[in-house]
Amino acid sequence: MPQDTGTDMAYEPTSNTVSFSNSIKKWLSILLPIVIGILLTLYTYYSFTSAQIEEIKSYFKNADYFYIWLAAGLALLGNASRAYRWKFSLEHMGYESSFLNNFMAVSIGYVLNLTVPKSGEVSRALIVKKYNNIPFDKGFGSIVAERIVDIVCLLFFMMLAVFLQFDIVRSFIIDKIPMYKLMLILSVGSVFLIAAVLVYKYSKVKWILAFKEKISGLEEGLMSIVYMKKKWTYLFHTVFIWFSYILTFYIAIFVFPETSSLSVDAVVTSFVVGSIAIAFTNSGFGSYPFLMAKILLFYSISETTGNAFGWIVWTSQMLLVLTLGFLSFIFLPVFNRKK
C-alpha cells in the first residue's frame, strides 16, 4: 500500500499555464471588441426596415464626398502635428528622431491599435528604438505622457459638452447611470490613486525601490513634457491636434444636407460621443455609427441619417489610417536603409 509521505504539494502554475493564460487574455482583448462591434452592427441592421436600408444606401450614393476628402486632409495635418510634437519630449531627453520616422511610427501605431488595443504605443517606442537607438522605456514614457495629455484634452471637451448641452448630456448618459454609483466609483478610485502615488513616492520598501529603479527611464519620459524647454510649442501643437480633430468632425457634417445645419454645441457633444465610441471598441468599429445615430436623434436627425453619417465618417477615417499605416510599413525600412 502506498505510504502517505505527508508532503502534499500546493499547485503552482507552470510557465505553460501562464503562457496559455496570457494568450487567452491577448485574444480576448482582440476578439471581444470586434464581436461587440459586429453585434452592434447586426442589431442596427435588423432593427431597420427594408425601406430604411434603401434610404441609408441612398445617403451613401448622394453624399458630398468633397467634404470627406477635406476632412481627411485636415486629419492628416493633425497626425503630422502629433509626429512633430513628439520630437520635443525626445529632444529634452537628449535623443533625436526625424519627422518622417516619427510620422511613420505614429501611422503604424494607429494601424496596430485596430488589432490589439494599445499595441500602437508599444510599436512606436520599438520603432524609434530600432531606427534611432532611443531606449524603449524612455520612448514609451514620452508616449504615455502624450496619452495623459490627450485624456486631459478629452475631459475638457466632455466638460464643455456638459456646459453647453447639459439637458442632452443628462438624457443621453447621466440619467442612465445612478449618480450615487458614479460618485462612489470616483471616490474609491481617487483614494486608491492618491494612496498609490504616496506609497510610490515615499516608500522605502526594497521591492518598490527596485521597481522605481527599473522604470526610471519610463519616469523620465513621462516627466519630459513637464521640464522640456519648448513646452509652449508642445502646447501649441497639442491645441492644434485637438482643434484638427473637432474641425475634421465639423467639416464632415456637410456631407449631408440634414446634418449640415448642426450647431456648434451639437458638434461638440457629438464629437465627444464619437470619441467615447472610438475608445469603446477597436477604433469605434460598430459603436461609432451606433452611438452617433443615437446622439443625433436629440437634434432631430433621423436614425437612418445618423447611422449613414456615422458609417461614412468612420469608414473615411479608417481608410486614411490604413493607407498611411501600410505605406509607412513599406517605406520606414527603405527610408532608414544605411547607405
Side-chain angles (χ1 to χ4, degrees):
M1 181 178 291
Q3 297 291 319
D4 182 4
T5 61
T7 56
D8 294 336
M9 299 296 291
Y11 172 74
E12 292 184 4
T14 64
S15 59
N16 288 336
T17 304
V18 174
S19 177
F20 178 74
S21 177
N22 289 337
S23 296
I24 292 293
K25 290 177 183 178
K26 178 182 176 180
W27 281 106
L28 280 176
S29 70
I30 297 172
L31 295 176
L32 188 59
I34 295 174
V35 170
I36 292 172
I38 291 172
L39 290 176
L40 286 174
T41 303
L42 291 174
Y43 170 79
T44 303
Y45 179 82
Y46 286 109
S47 66
F48 287 142
T49 64
S50 299
Q52 287 176 315
I53 295 296
E54 290 302 315
E55 183 184 352
I56 291 174
K57 290 180 181 178
S58 70
Y59 277 116
F60 279 92
K61 291 178 183 177
N62 300 319
D64 191 341
Y65 287 99
F66 166 77
Y67 293 103
I68 292 299
W69 283 103
L70 191 60
L74 187 58
L76 179 61
L77 288 177
N79 288 0
S81 183
R82 180 177 291 277
Y84 190 77
R85 182 187 66 170
W86 190 16
K87 78 169 191 170
F88 297 121
S89 53
L90 295 176
E91 282 179 353
H92 171 76
M93 295 183 287
Y95 301 102
E96 289 187 8
S97 180
S98 68
F99 167 75
L100 276 178
N101 268 7
N102 288 355
F103 182 79
M104 288 188 281
V106 168
S107 299
I108 290 171
Y110 282 145
V111 169
L112 291 179
N113 275 338
L114 299 179
T115 55
V116 180
K118 306 308 175 187
S119 61
E121 284 73 11
V122 175
S123 72
R124 280 176 60 182
L126 288 172
I127 287 170
V128 293
K129 180 181 185 298
K130 178 178 181 180
Y131 293 112
N132 298 97
N133 202 29
I134 298 173
F136 174 82
D137 52 354
K138 295 186 180 182
F140 187 68
S142 67
I143 297 165
V144 173
E146 280 185 19
R147 291 309 181 203
I148 293 171
V149 172
D150 287 338
I151 291 171
V152 171
C153 292
L154 180 57
L155 287 174
F156 166 78
F157 279 107
M158 286 180 174
M159 290 187 290
L160 183 61
V162 171
F163 175 76
L164 294 174
Q165 303 273 268
F166 178 76
D167 290 338
I168 289 176
V169 173
R170 182 182 62 189
S171 300
F172 188 72
I173 299 174
I174 298 177
D175 283 353
K176 295 178 174 59
I177 305 174
M179 187 55 66
Y180 77 92
K181 285 188 177 180
L182 185 61
M183 294 303 297
L184 180 62
I185 292 170
L186 289 174
S187 299
V188 172
S190 298
V191 169
F192 274 105
L193 179 62
I194 293 170
V197 170
L198 290 175
V199 168
Y200 177 82
K201 190 172 181 64
Y202 297 109
S203 176
K204 301 299 182 184
V205 178
K206 287 185 178 180
W207 70 267
I208 294 180
L209 292 175
F211 176 73
K212 288 172 71 174
E213 184 178 352
K214 184 163 285 191
I215 66 166
S216 58
L218 177 62
E219 187 175 354
E220 183 181 352
L222 277 168
M223 299 306 294
S224 61
I225 63 173
V226 177
Y227 299 114
M228 70 173 62
K229 292 180 180 179
K230 297 180 180 178
K231 59 172 62 71
W232 289 110
T233 311
Y234 189 97
L235 178 62
F236 167 79
H237 280 279
T238 299
V239 172
F240 179 82
I241 290 164
W242 281 86
F243 176 75
S244 73
Y245 288 167
I246 195 162
L247 189 57
T248 295
F249 184 85
Y250 176 74
I251 290 172
I253 70 172
F254 295 101
V255 71
F256 298 144
E258 292 87 345
T259 55
S260 62
S261 58
L262 286 172
S263 66
V264 173
D265 295 358
V267 167
V268 171
T269 306
S270 302
F271 168 75
V272 168
V273 170
S275 299
I276 294 170
I278 287 172
F280 186 66
T281 58
N282 284 30
S283 294
F285 171 64
S287 63
Y288 188 93
F290 177 82
L291 289 177
M292 194 56 60
K294 297 301 181 185
I295 189 64
L296 290 179
L297 279 173
F298 288 94
Y299 301 102
S300 302
I301 305 295
S302 71
E303 194 160 2
T304 51
T305 307
N307 200 268
F309 174 77
W311 274 113
I312 284 180
V313 172
W314 182 83
T315 303
S316 63
Q317 293 301 309
M318 289 305 104
L319 287 175
L320 177 66
V321 166
L322 290 171
T323 301
L324 293 176
F326 286 128
L327 287 175
S328 296
F329 268 118
I330 294 169
F331 288 107
L332 183 64
V334 174
F335 177 75
N336 288 278
R337 186 164 48 201
K338 292 182 180 179
K339 297 180 181 180

